[in-house]
Amino acid sequence: MIHTLGFGLPRLGPNLEYKRLLEGFWSGLLSQEKLLAGLQELEGLRATAYREAVDLHPTGELSLYDPMLDLAVALGLYAVPAGELEAYYALARGKGALPLRKWFGTNYHYLVPRLPEKPRYEPQPGWFPYPVGRDADSGEGLPTLIGPYTLVRLAQNPPTSPTELQAHLEALGEAYAELLKGASGRPVLLQEPALILDGAQEDLPHLLRPYRLLGAQFPLVLLTYYLPLRPQVAEALAGLPLRGLGLVYEPGAPWPKVSSGTALVLGVIEGLSVWRTDLLRLRKDLGPLVEAGREVWLAPKAPLYHLPWKVAELLPPELAGRLAFAEERLRELALLKGLLRGEAPEEAQAWYTPPPTWDQSLPPPPPPRPPREVRRQAQKDLGLPPFPTTTIGSFPQTKELRSLRKRLRSGDLDQAAYRQEIQEAIRKNIRLQEELGLDVLVHGEPERSDMVEFFAERLERFYTTQKGFVLSYGSRIWRPPILFAPPRRREPLVLWETLYAQSLTHKPVKAILTGPITLAAWSYLPERVSFREAVLALAEALREEVREVAAHGIRVVQVDEPALLEKLPLRAEDHPGYLALVGEAFLRVVGDLEPGVQVHQHLCYSDYAALRPFLEAMDPDVVSLEGARQDGRFLEALSGLPLELGPGAFDVHSPLEAPVEEMLARLQTYLRHLPAERLWINPDCGLKTRKSEEALANLRNMVQAAQRLRELWSSSQGGPHADGT
Ligand code: GLN
Ligand code: ZN
C-alpha cells in the first residue's frame, strides 16, 4: 500500500499572497477580518495544490507568523486570548518580541519560546486547531503540531538535567493530549525534527512515555526530517504504538521494524535542493519494500518551504527541465508512486537528467600568512590612531537606491547612467565618513541588493531567479541564487566601486566581500556537489578578486561570514571537518595577500565560545562581531586570542539613538577584557536597514565616544603622547 504525503508547502503562496496579507494588516490597510479571510483563501489554494498531487497533507500550516509561536501560545506559554492578533503580533515583532533563531542549519528562522520555570502547561483550545484556514480544505487535512521534544530542545531555556527534562516532557505529553482533543480523529502529524540531533538517543527514555500516551489516544504520525535518524533512535521509536513513523530514507540502510499498523513514512524527495529527483533510481531502491507489502507513505526529506512555490520563469538552457521547486516536488511524489505501482508514464521516464560533471580542479591553497607580529609591523604605515574607527560596510539603502536598481532591471535606466548614480552615492558616503572623522572607510555598498545575490550576479554559473522567493521568517523573503557549475569570475566583483571610493580619499578604504561559506550557505548548490566542494570553488573565485584588489593598492580587505555558525553541522562528528573547511576556505581567499594588507573578518554573532576555534583557524588581523546587546563579560570567551577586535559600539538593529556616554561605557567594559591596542570601534553590523538620520546620529556619537576614549586613555597612560606619536 503506497500513499503520498506532502508537507511544508510554502506559506508564501504562488504570488507572495502571504506577505501582502500580513504587511497589509500591519500597515493598517487590511482589517483583521480581511486578513483572516485572505489567509483562509490562501489556505484553500494551498489545499488545492496538495490535493491535486498527493494523497495526504497537513492542515493548519498557515501560521499567523510562526508555527513555533503558535505552539507556544497554544500551550499557554504566553497569554494571547484567541482572536487577539495585536497581542500575538506583539510577541512576533513588537518591542518585547521573542528572539529569532535559525532553524536546523537553514536560513529559515523560528521564534524562540521560553519554557515555564515549573513544568506546567495550560493548553489553550482556542489556539488549536490553529485559527487560520481551519475549514479551508473540508476537513481532510491532517492536523499538525511541532512536537514536545523539538519544543524543549529549541527553547531559550532547555532543561538542564534529566529530571527536569523528564518533568517537562511528561507535562507536555498531557498538554498535547488536551490540545489534540480538538483534532478530528484523523492522523496527527507530530513534527519532531529534533530527534535527528545529537543527544536524542540519551533523551529518548524520557520521551517514550509521553509518546506512548499520545499514541494510545490518537493516530499519531511521528515525523522527522532533514537527516536520517540514528539507527538506535529509529529502533526505539519503531516500538511505539504509532500510526506512522517518518524518517529520511537512506539507500541501503535497514528499515526500522515498525509494527504492522504503523506506516513507514519515508522522506525520499529532496526538500533543500532544487534539482529534480532521479525517480527511476528510487523506484529500484524502494521496490523491495513495496513488494514486501509494507504500508509506505512517500514524503519529502524536508518541509517544502525551503523552496520557491514553483518553477514559473523561462530558464536558461543549463537549467531548463532540471529544476523542481515545491509544486514540482509534489508532482515527483505522485510520479514515484505511479512508478512503484508499475505504471511508467512518459513524464516519469523523462523527468530526470543527470547533471554535467563538476570539473573543478583546485590549485593548492596558499601557505599560511606570516605571523601576526610581522603583519602588524607591515601594517603600521596605515597610520591608524589608537582605537581605530570603521563601519561594517553598508550604508542605508535609501528608497532612491532601490528604485535605481528597479529601473536598471526594467531597462528604464542604462548601465552607464546607473553607474553614474552609484558613483554619486559612493561620493556621498566617502564625504560623510571624512566629515565624521572615521579612520578606515567603506564605499557603502549602494550597488548591492543583497550580500549574496549581488555576488551571484557577477559570477558566472550562478542563476539568479526573478520569482524564486523563499520565506525567511514572518513576511521576510529572499531569493536564493542557484549555482549550477563551478563558479567563475565574469567581471570584477568589488573592484571598481572600491577603487572609485579610494580615489576620493587619503584614508584607507576597505574592500568588502561576502565570504565563501555564506555564498554557499545562502544559495542552492549543484547536484552531487558537496558543501565543501562548492565553498572551495567559491573561495577560489574570491581569491582572484582579492589579489586584483590588492594589486591595485587597496590595503584593507574584509570578508563577511554571517552564515558561519548557521552552517555548523548538526552533528558533532562533522564539526572537525567543518572547522578545517572554514580555515582552508579563508586561507584561499586571503592567503596570497602581502603582510601589509590588513584582513578583516566580519561575523554577526555573539556566541563567542562557539566562534573561538574558527577565529583561531582563520587567524584574521581584525574581527568585528556583534556585542552591543551583551554585557562585556562575553569577551572572556575570547581571552588570550591575539586578535584585534571590534565587538560593536552600538546595535544596528535598533532605530534608537545610542548616546555617547552609553557607547563610551560599553567600550570601557570591553577594555576590561581586551588590551587597549587591540580594540576597534565600529557598529555591530551593516547600516543597510537603518534610516540615514539614524545611522548618522549613531556614527557621530560613535566617533565622539572614540575620541573621548582616546583622551581618557592617553591621560591614564600619563600624557597625551603616551602612544609614542
Ligand atoms: N558588509 C555587510 C553589510 O555591511 C555585512 C552584512 C552582514 O554581516 N549580514 O551590510
Ligand atoms: Zn553582520
Side-chain angles (χ1 to χ4, degrees), residues 392 451 560 562 602-605 624-626 652-653 684-686:
I392 304 307
M451 63 184 299
D560 294 337
H602 171 65
L603 301 159
C604 293
Y605 300 97
S624 57
L625 313 121
E626 200 259 291
V652 300
H653 298 98
D684 64 3
C685 197

